[in-house]
Short mmCIF file of all heavy atoms in Angstrom, two decimals:
data_model
loop_
_atom_site.label_atom_id
_atom_site.label_comp_id
_atom_site.label_asym_id
_atom_site.label_seq_id
_atom_site.Cartn_x
_atom_site.Cartn_y
_atom_site.Cartn_z
N ALA A 435 -32.46 19.24 -1.37
CA ALA A 435 -31.96 19.96 -0.19
C ALA A 435 -30.45 19.93 -0.10
O ALA A 435 -29.85 20.71 0.62
CB ALA A 435 -32.57 19.37 1.07
N GLY A 436 -29.83 19.03 -0.79
CA GLY A 436 -28.36 18.93 -0.73
C GLY A 436 -27.92 17.49 -0.84
O GLY A 436 -28.71 16.57 -0.57
N PRO A 437 -26.69 17.28 -1.20
CA PRO A 437 -26.22 15.91 -1.40
C PRO A 437 -26.08 15.16 -0.09
O PRO A 437 -25.76 15.73 0.93
CB PRO A 437 -24.86 16.09 -2.07
CG PRO A 437 -24.39 17.43 -1.61
CD PRO A 437 -25.64 18.26 -1.48
N SER A 438 -26.35 13.85 -0.13
CA SER A 438 -26.08 12.99 1.01
C SER A 438 -24.61 12.64 0.99
O SER A 438 -23.83 13.18 0.21
CB SER A 438 -26.91 11.71 0.90
OG SER A 438 -26.44 10.92 -0.17
N HIS A 439 -24.19 11.67 1.83
CA HIS A 439 -22.79 11.27 1.85
C HIS A 439 -22.38 10.61 0.54
O HIS A 439 -21.20 10.49 0.24
CB HIS A 439 -22.52 10.33 3.02
CG HIS A 439 -23.24 9.03 2.92
ND1 HIS A 439 -24.60 8.94 3.08
CD2 HIS A 439 -22.79 7.78 2.68
CE1 HIS A 439 -24.98 7.68 2.95
NE2 HIS A 439 -23.91 6.95 2.70
N LEU A 440 -23.39 10.15 -0.24
CA LEU A 440 -23.06 9.55 -1.53
C LEU A 440 -23.12 10.58 -2.65
O LEU A 440 -22.43 10.45 -3.65
CB LEU A 440 -24.03 8.41 -1.84
CG LEU A 440 -23.94 7.20 -0.90
CD1 LEU A 440 -25.07 6.23 -1.18
CD2 LEU A 440 -22.60 6.52 -1.08
N GLY A 441 -23.98 11.59 -2.49
CA GLY A 441 -24.12 12.60 -3.52
C GLY A 441 -25.00 12.13 -4.65
O GLY A 441 -24.78 11.06 -5.21
N PRO A 442 -26.04 12.91 -5.04
CA PRO A 442 -26.91 12.49 -6.13
C PRO A 442 -26.22 12.69 -7.48
O PRO A 442 -25.35 13.54 -7.62
CB PRO A 442 -28.11 13.43 -5.98
CG PRO A 442 -27.52 14.67 -5.37
CD PRO A 442 -26.43 14.20 -4.47
N PRO A 443 -26.58 11.92 -8.48
CA PRO A 443 -25.99 12.12 -9.80
C PRO A 443 -26.50 13.42 -10.40
O PRO A 443 -27.61 13.86 -10.09
CB PRO A 443 -26.50 10.91 -10.59
CG PRO A 443 -27.76 10.49 -9.88
CD PRO A 443 -27.53 10.81 -8.45
N PRO A 444 -25.72 14.08 -11.22
CA PRO A 444 -26.16 15.33 -11.83
C PRO A 444 -27.33 15.08 -12.78
O PRO A 444 -27.39 14.05 -13.45
CB PRO A 444 -24.91 15.82 -12.60
CG PRO A 444 -24.13 14.57 -12.84
CD PRO A 444 -24.38 13.69 -11.66
N VAL A 445 -28.27 16.04 -12.81
CA VAL A 445 -29.42 15.93 -13.71
C VAL A 445 -29.05 16.53 -15.05
O VAL A 445 -28.68 17.70 -15.14
CB VAL A 445 -30.64 16.65 -13.11
CG1 VAL A 445 -31.82 16.56 -14.06
CG2 VAL A 445 -30.99 16.03 -11.76
N ALA A 446 -29.15 15.74 -16.10
CA ALA A 446 -28.79 16.23 -17.43
C ALA A 446 -29.92 17.07 -18.01
O ALA A 446 -31.10 16.79 -17.75
CB ALA A 446 -28.50 15.04 -18.34
N PRO A 447 -29.60 18.12 -18.75
CA PRO A 447 -30.65 18.92 -19.39
C PRO A 447 -31.39 18.10 -20.43
O PRO A 447 -30.84 17.18 -21.03
CB PRO A 447 -29.86 20.07 -20.03
CG PRO A 447 -28.50 19.51 -20.23
CD PRO A 447 -28.26 18.58 -19.09
N VAL A 448 -32.66 18.43 -20.62
CA VAL A 448 -33.49 17.70 -21.59
C VAL A 448 -33.29 18.32 -22.97
O VAL A 448 -33.59 19.50 -23.18
CB VAL A 448 -34.97 17.76 -21.20
CG1 VAL A 448 -35.81 16.97 -22.18
CG2 VAL A 448 -35.16 17.25 -19.79
N PRO A 449 -32.77 17.58 -23.93
CA PRO A 449 -32.60 18.14 -25.27
C PRO A 449 -33.93 18.17 -26.02
O PRO A 449 -34.88 17.47 -25.65
CB PRO A 449 -31.63 17.15 -25.92
CG PRO A 449 -31.92 15.85 -25.23
CD PRO A 449 -32.30 16.21 -23.82
N GLU A 450 -34.01 18.99 -27.05
CA GLU A 450 -35.23 19.07 -27.83
C GLU A 450 -35.48 17.77 -28.59
O GLU A 450 -36.61 17.34 -28.77
CB GLU A 450 -35.15 20.25 -28.80
CG GLU A 450 -35.12 21.60 -28.07
CD GLU A 450 -35.09 22.75 -29.03
OE1 GLU A 450 -35.12 22.49 -30.27
OE2 GLU A 450 -35.03 23.90 -28.58
N ALA A 451 -34.41 17.11 -29.01
CA ALA A 451 -34.54 15.84 -29.73
C ALA A 451 -33.55 14.86 -29.14
O ALA A 451 -32.47 15.26 -28.69
CB ALA A 451 -34.27 16.04 -31.22
N PRO A 452 -33.88 13.58 -29.11
CA PRO A 452 -32.95 12.59 -28.57
C PRO A 452 -31.63 12.61 -29.33
O PRO A 452 -31.62 12.58 -30.56
CB PRO A 452 -33.69 11.26 -28.78
CG PRO A 452 -35.13 11.64 -28.91
CD PRO A 452 -35.14 12.99 -29.56
N PRO A 453 -30.51 12.71 -28.63
CA PRO A 453 -29.22 12.76 -29.30
C PRO A 453 -28.81 11.39 -29.81
O PRO A 453 -29.32 10.36 -29.38
CB PRO A 453 -28.27 13.21 -28.17
CG PRO A 453 -28.93 12.66 -26.93
CD PRO A 453 -30.38 12.75 -27.17
N ALA A 454 -27.87 11.38 -30.73
CA ALA A 454 -27.39 10.12 -31.28
C ALA A 454 -26.33 9.50 -30.38
O ALA A 454 -26.00 8.34 -30.53
CB ALA A 454 -26.80 10.37 -32.67
N GLY A 455 -25.81 10.28 -29.44
CA GLY A 455 -24.72 9.80 -28.59
C GLY A 455 -25.23 9.18 -27.30
O GLY A 455 -26.13 8.34 -27.32
N PRO A 456 -24.68 9.60 -26.16
CA PRO A 456 -25.04 9.01 -24.86
C PRO A 456 -26.52 9.18 -24.54
O PRO A 456 -27.16 10.15 -24.94
CB PRO A 456 -24.17 9.79 -23.87
CG PRO A 456 -23.07 10.36 -24.69
CD PRO A 456 -23.65 10.62 -26.05
N ILE A 457 -27.04 8.21 -23.78
CA ILE A 457 -28.44 8.25 -23.37
C ILE A 457 -28.63 9.32 -22.29
O ILE A 457 -27.85 9.42 -21.36
CB ILE A 457 -28.88 6.87 -22.86
CG1 ILE A 457 -28.86 5.88 -24.02
CG2 ILE A 457 -30.25 6.92 -22.21
CD1 ILE A 457 -29.13 4.46 -23.62
N VAL A 458 -29.69 10.10 -22.43
CA VAL A 458 -29.98 11.20 -21.50
C VAL A 458 -31.28 10.89 -20.76
O VAL A 458 -32.21 10.31 -21.32
CB VAL A 458 -30.10 12.54 -22.27
CG1 VAL A 458 -30.48 13.68 -21.32
CG2 VAL A 458 -28.79 12.86 -22.98
N TRP A 459 -31.34 11.29 -19.49
CA TRP A 459 -32.51 11.07 -18.64
C TRP A 459 -33.29 12.38 -18.48
O TRP A 459 -32.69 13.45 -18.31
CB TRP A 459 -32.09 10.57 -17.27
CG TRP A 459 -31.56 9.17 -17.26
CD1 TRP A 459 -30.47 8.69 -17.92
CD2 TRP A 459 -32.11 8.07 -16.54
NE1 TRP A 459 -30.30 7.35 -17.67
CE2 TRP A 459 -31.28 6.94 -16.81
CE3 TRP A 459 -33.20 7.92 -15.69
CZ2 TRP A 459 -31.53 5.68 -16.26
CZ3 TRP A 459 -33.45 6.67 -15.13
CH2 TRP A 459 -32.63 5.57 -15.43
N THR A 460 -34.61 12.28 -18.50
CA THR A 460 -35.43 13.45 -18.19
C THR A 460 -35.37 13.71 -16.69
O THR A 460 -35.11 12.79 -15.90
CB THR A 460 -36.89 13.24 -18.62
OG1 THR A 460 -37.45 12.20 -17.81
CG2 THR A 460 -37.00 12.86 -20.09
N PRO A 461 -35.64 14.95 -16.27
CA PRO A 461 -35.64 15.23 -14.82
C PRO A 461 -36.63 14.35 -14.06
O PRO A 461 -36.37 13.93 -12.93
CB PRO A 461 -36.04 16.71 -14.75
CG PRO A 461 -35.61 17.27 -16.07
CD PRO A 461 -35.82 16.18 -17.07
N GLU A 462 -37.80 14.05 -14.66
CA GLU A 462 -38.79 13.21 -13.99
C GLU A 462 -38.25 11.80 -13.77
O GLU A 462 -38.44 11.20 -12.71
CB GLU A 462 -40.09 13.15 -14.80
CG GLU A 462 -40.85 14.46 -14.88
CD GLU A 462 -40.24 15.41 -15.93
OE1 GLU A 462 -39.39 14.95 -16.73
OE2 GLU A 462 -40.62 16.58 -15.94
N ALA A 463 -37.56 11.27 -14.78
CA ALA A 463 -37.00 9.92 -14.66
C ALA A 463 -35.88 9.89 -13.63
O ALA A 463 -35.75 8.93 -12.84
CB ALA A 463 -36.48 9.44 -16.02
N GLU A 464 -35.05 10.94 -13.62
CA GLU A 464 -33.97 11.02 -12.62
C GLU A 464 -34.55 11.08 -11.21
O GLU A 464 -34.05 10.43 -10.28
CB GLU A 464 -33.11 12.26 -12.87
CG GLU A 464 -32.13 12.15 -14.03
CD GLU A 464 -30.88 11.38 -13.65
OE1 GLU A 464 -30.83 10.81 -12.54
OE2 GLU A 464 -29.95 11.35 -14.47
N ALA A 465 -35.63 11.86 -11.04
CA ALA A 465 -36.25 11.99 -9.72
C ALA A 465 -36.81 10.65 -9.26
O ALA A 465 -36.71 10.29 -8.07
CB ALA A 465 -37.36 13.05 -9.76
N GLU A 466 -37.42 9.90 -10.18
CA GLU A 466 -37.96 8.59 -9.81
C GLU A 466 -36.84 7.61 -9.48
O GLU A 466 -36.97 6.78 -8.57
CB GLU A 466 -38.81 8.05 -10.97
CG GLU A 466 -39.61 6.80 -10.64
CD GLU A 466 -40.73 7.06 -9.63
OE1 GLU A 466 -41.08 8.26 -9.41
OE2 GLU A 466 -41.23 6.08 -9.05
N LEU A 467 -35.73 7.70 -10.21
CA LEU A 467 -34.59 6.82 -9.97
C LEU A 467 -34.04 7.02 -8.56
O LEU A 467 -33.59 6.07 -7.90
CB LEU A 467 -33.50 7.07 -11.01
CG LEU A 467 -32.25 6.18 -10.94
CD1 LEU A 467 -32.60 4.73 -11.30
CD2 LEU A 467 -31.14 6.70 -11.85
N LYS A 468 -34.07 8.27 -8.07
CA LYS A 468 -33.53 8.57 -6.74
C LYS A 468 -34.35 7.92 -5.62
O LYS A 468 -33.86 7.78 -4.50
CB LYS A 468 -33.50 10.08 -6.51
CG LYS A 468 -32.47 10.80 -7.38
CD LYS A 468 -32.59 12.30 -7.20
CE LYS A 468 -31.66 13.03 -8.15
NZ LYS A 468 -31.85 14.49 -8.07
N LYS A 469 -35.58 7.52 -5.91
CA LYS A 469 -36.40 6.87 -4.90
C LYS A 469 -35.98 5.41 -4.68
O LYS A 469 -36.41 4.80 -3.70
CB LYS A 469 -37.87 6.93 -5.31
CG LYS A 469 -38.44 8.34 -5.39
CD LYS A 469 -39.88 8.34 -5.83
CE LYS A 469 -40.42 9.77 -5.95
NZ LYS A 469 -41.83 9.79 -6.40
N ILE A 470 -35.19 4.88 -5.59
CA ILE A 470 -34.69 3.52 -5.46
C ILE A 470 -33.53 3.52 -4.48
O ILE A 470 -32.67 4.41 -4.54
CB ILE A 470 -34.24 2.98 -6.84
CG1 ILE A 470 -35.42 2.96 -7.80
CG2 ILE A 470 -33.63 1.58 -6.71
CD1 ILE A 470 -35.03 2.63 -9.23
N PRO A 471 -33.45 2.58 -3.53
CA PRO A 471 -32.33 2.55 -2.58
C PRO A 471 -30.98 2.61 -3.29
O PRO A 471 -30.81 2.02 -4.36
CB PRO A 471 -32.52 1.21 -1.85
CG PRO A 471 -33.98 0.94 -1.95
CD PRO A 471 -34.41 1.50 -3.27
N PHE A 472 -30.03 3.33 -2.69
CA PHE A 472 -28.76 3.61 -3.37
C PHE A 472 -28.01 2.35 -3.76
O PHE A 472 -27.30 2.32 -4.75
CB PHE A 472 -27.87 4.50 -2.50
CG PHE A 472 -27.18 3.77 -1.37
CD1 PHE A 472 -25.95 3.19 -1.56
CD2 PHE A 472 -27.77 3.68 -0.12
CE1 PHE A 472 -25.31 2.53 -0.52
CE2 PHE A 472 -27.15 3.02 0.90
CZ PHE A 472 -25.92 2.43 0.71
N PHE A 473 -28.17 1.26 -2.95
CA PHE A 473 -27.34 0.10 -3.22
C PHE A 473 -27.81 -0.72 -4.42
O PHE A 473 -27.12 -1.65 -4.83
CB PHE A 473 -27.22 -0.79 -1.97
CG PHE A 473 -28.51 -1.04 -1.23
CD1 PHE A 473 -29.40 -1.99 -1.67
CD2 PHE A 473 -28.80 -0.31 -0.09
CE1 PHE A 473 -30.57 -2.22 -0.99
CE2 PHE A 473 -29.98 -0.54 0.60
CZ PHE A 473 -30.88 -1.48 0.15
N VAL A 474 -29.00 -0.40 -4.99
CA VAL A 474 -29.40 -1.04 -6.25
C VAL A 474 -29.68 0.01 -7.32
O VAL A 474 -30.08 -0.32 -8.43
CB VAL A 474 -30.65 -1.93 -6.05
CG1 VAL A 474 -30.32 -3.15 -5.23
CG2 VAL A 474 -31.79 -1.15 -5.43
N ARG A 475 -29.44 1.27 -7.00
CA ARG A 475 -29.74 2.35 -7.94
C ARG A 475 -28.87 2.25 -9.19
O ARG A 475 -29.32 2.46 -10.31
CB ARG A 475 -29.54 3.69 -7.25
CG ARG A 475 -30.12 4.87 -8.02
CD ARG A 475 -29.89 6.15 -7.25
NE ARG A 475 -30.55 6.12 -5.95
CZ ARG A 475 -30.19 6.90 -4.94
NH1 ARG A 475 -29.17 7.72 -5.06
NH2 ARG A 475 -30.83 6.82 -3.79
#
Side-chain angles (χ1 to χ4, degrees):
S438 69
H439 64 290
L440 294 172
V445 178
V448 182
E450 294 182 2
I457 293 174
V458 177
W459 289 61
T460 66
E462 293 80 12
E464 284 280 8
E466 189 68 16
L467 182 68
K468 291 175 185 175
K469 297 178 182 179
I470 299 172
F472 77 89
F473 44 80
V474 291
R475 193 179 299 158

